[in-house]
Amino acid sequence: QPAPRGNMAVHCGGPGSLTLCNYVMALQFDEEVKSSYNIIGFDQRGMGRSDPTFVIPECAAHMHADAKKLNVNFGNEQSIRDAAQVYKETHLACWNHPGFQLGTVQKDGTSKAFHFLEYSGTRQLAEDIERVRRIFGNQQLSIFGISYGTIVMGTYATIFSDKVNLMVLDGSVDPNSDIVSRELDDARAKQERLDYFIASCEFGNGQCGDTDVRTCLNDVSTMVDWLGEEIGDWLAPVRKVLEFFGMQTGKNIVMTTLISMIWSDFSQFSRVCEYAAKDDYGSFMDWFLAMLLGSTEYEHDLSLPFINITLGNTKFSFEYNTDSKPTSSEHADADWPFEGYGELAALTSVTQDMITAQGRVLG
């Protein structure tokens, strides 16, 4: 249907966001925006209803027989090598999956073979968006991307700049595909920010009070090291959730969460400092699980005609996961578009791993 301001392509990130992004976006847009655009979402190549799919056990590292080795101890070289071996074996099994071997007959009658994984990355998604734009009237397209979606829409705008009307990039992700430089930049930025905050406390930042931030972080690090492998068992209740976001249940997630408290709720940070100073492991573990799982029930009903949502337990009142409705991978028990899709997509990082690997290997 024609819309006053034309068409808008959206991508909610992940990778793994599917056509349900259309409705998720409705939570952000006011009535004027929603009534002004046709909002278009995508089941990008390899996901959702797209075929072939890489949402299969062969491509999911967390389905590997030695998946426990992915809980990396970054201070131990052998632990890192063991995790790398799991990923290597997974990638080989995925690459050799027969469903990715595609063939076509050329105009001259000869056959040509293609490997799906060489044609299912971010650039191909941008090209697919352009194909959809042409089908939907060949007019300029407005684009909106969140997180990984900023890479998608940034790629589209780079390749098809004259086809873009308006563009919004929300929560931009570094598009650099070089894994070493990207991770070094990320680590350096976090360390510099932390060093600045510690220095500001030592120079009299009123927010810090009497807390010795440098000593606190050292105390917590020592305590976490002492806990060692117990951390994995301790975080078992939230392992699946962490893996969905590409995080491992080790020291890294503990320290990352703690440091994030500096920027958000310093009173919580001060409490943890007390636990660490007293070697109160039990209270520390209880606090950390409460931070990840949430100790309070939050409910917030959104007054929209087609959706009701309760934070912490998302439920959509509109129809989805059917041939004519949006696709969602939010629920682990969803057997759509095929049996077991929800478990693989929601409880492993297969979609993120596949797209990230293609970007870093193929560009």
Side-chain angles (χ1 to χ4, degrees):
Q1 298 293 328
R5 302 189 68 177
N7 300 320
M8 179 192 301
V10 297
H11 196 294
C12 291
S17 163
L18 303 174
T19 42
L20 195 70
C21 180
N22 297 19
Y23 293 99
V24 173
M25 284 299 199
L27 304 179
Q28 300 191 35
F29 297 154
D30 59 24
E31 286 299 326
E32 180 181 359
V33 174
K34 287 185 287 187
S35 62
S36 298
Y37 292 94
N38 289 322
I39 302 176
I40 306 168
F42 303 86
D43 283 5
Q44 73 184 82
R45 298 188 188 193
M47 307 178 200
R49 284 173 283 186
S50 294
D51 186 50
T53 179
F54 42 61
V55 184
I56 55 176
E58 290 85 348
C59 296
H62 294 92
M63 302 293 285
H64 190 281
D66 289 328
K68 289 185 178 180
K69 293 180 179 178
L70 298 178
N71 188 17
V72 182
N73 176 359
F74 290 101
N76 183 292
E77 180 179 343
Q78 188 57 49
S79 177
I80 296 173
R81 290 184 178 279
D82 288 344
Q85 183 64 31
V86 170
Y87 277 112
K88 179 179 179 180
E89 292 175 5
T90 301
H91 293 162
L92 286 172
C94 182
W95 180 264
N96 292 324
H97 188 265
F100 297 151
Q101 312 300 323
L102 307 179
T104 185
V105 178
Q106 307 295 300
K107 292 182 179 180
D108 60 3
T110 61
S111 298
K112 186 173 182 179
F114 296 90
H115 197 293
F116 174 68
L117 296 186
E118 294 182 294
Y119 298 91
S120 55
T122 301
R123 181 185 177 96
Q124 285 74 36
L125 173 55
E127 293 169 349
D128 288 340
I129 293 173
E130 171 60 11
R131 293 183 179 95
V132 170
R133 184 197 68 82
R134 296 178 184 178
I135 293 172
F136 282 15
N138 204 29
Q139 58 184 301
Q140 281 192 316
L141 184 68
S142 293
I143 52 180
F144 195 126
I146 299 175
S147 189
Y148 162 71
T150 64
I151 298 180
V152 174
M153 296 310 175
T155 300
Y156 179 85
T158 300
I159 301 174
F160 306 105
S161 56
D162 60 327
K163 310 302 182 185
V164 176
N165 179 23
L166 302 173
M167 177 173 70
V168 175
L169 303 181
D170 184 358
S172 296
V173 175
D174 184 358
N176 182 8
S177 61
D178 183 89
I179 185 171
V180 175
S181 62
R182 179 172 175 173
E183 298 308 317
L184 286 175
D185 285 346
D186 182 63
R188 181 172 61 251
K190 290 177 180 176
Q191 186 63 53
E192 288 177 353
R193 190 71 183 92
L194 181 59
D195 288 343
Y196 172 82
F197 186 83
I198 292 174
S200 71
C201 288
E202 293 174 344
F203 278 85
N205 182 345
Q207 180 183 355
C208 307
D210 296 328
T211 302
D212 184 336
V213 178
R214 190 183 302 277
T215 299
C216 174
L217 289 173
N218 288 333
D219 287 345
V220 173
S221 179
T222 299
M223 181 170 61
V224 174
D225 285 338
W226 185 87
L227 289 169
E229 295 182 358
E230 289 185 37
I231 292 177
D233 297 332
W234 161 41
L235 295 178
V238 293
R239 179 178 291 116
K240 295 296 186 183
V241 177
L242 296 174
E243 289 176 352
F244 173 70
F245 291 104
M247 303 175 186
Q248 306 304 324
T249 51
K251 179 179 179 179
N252 185 57
I253 183 61
V254 177
M255 299 305 295
T256 298
T257 302
L258 177 62
I259 291 172
S260 72
M261 299 305 303
I262 294 176
W263 324 129
S264 56
D265 189 347
F266 194 78
S267 63
Q268 292 285 341
F269 180 85
S270 301
R271 180 186 303 180
V272 175
C273 293
E274 294 179 12
Y275 296 151
K278 297 177 181 178
D279 292 331
D280 188 349
Y281 306 112
S283 295
F284 176 74
M285 290 190 288
D286 290 343
W287 170 85
F288 189 73
L289 278 178
M291 291 302 301
L292 290 179
L293 294 173
S295 56
T296 306
E297 293 292 331
Y298 296 97
E299 292 191 1
H300 179 61
D301 293 327
L302 300 168
S303 55
L304 296 173
F306 53 85
I307 182 171
N308 292 316
I309 186 169
T310 300
L311 298 183
N313 184 19
T314 306
K315 296 180 179 178
F316 300 104
S317 60
F318 56 84
E319 186 179 4
Y320 60 99
N321 283 352
T322 69
D323 288 334
S324 61
K325 301 297 180 181
T327 314
S328 168
S329 63
E330 299 297 320
H331 303 285
D333 59 352
D335 286 330
W336 174 265
F338 53 81
E339 184 176 355
Y341 183 93
E343 181 177 7
L344 271 169
L347 301 183
T348 76
S349 57
V350 60
T351 54
Q352 296 95 324
D353 290 346
M354 295 300 296
I355 294 299
T356 302
Q358 289 180 69
R360 289 175 173 172
V361 174
L362 303 176

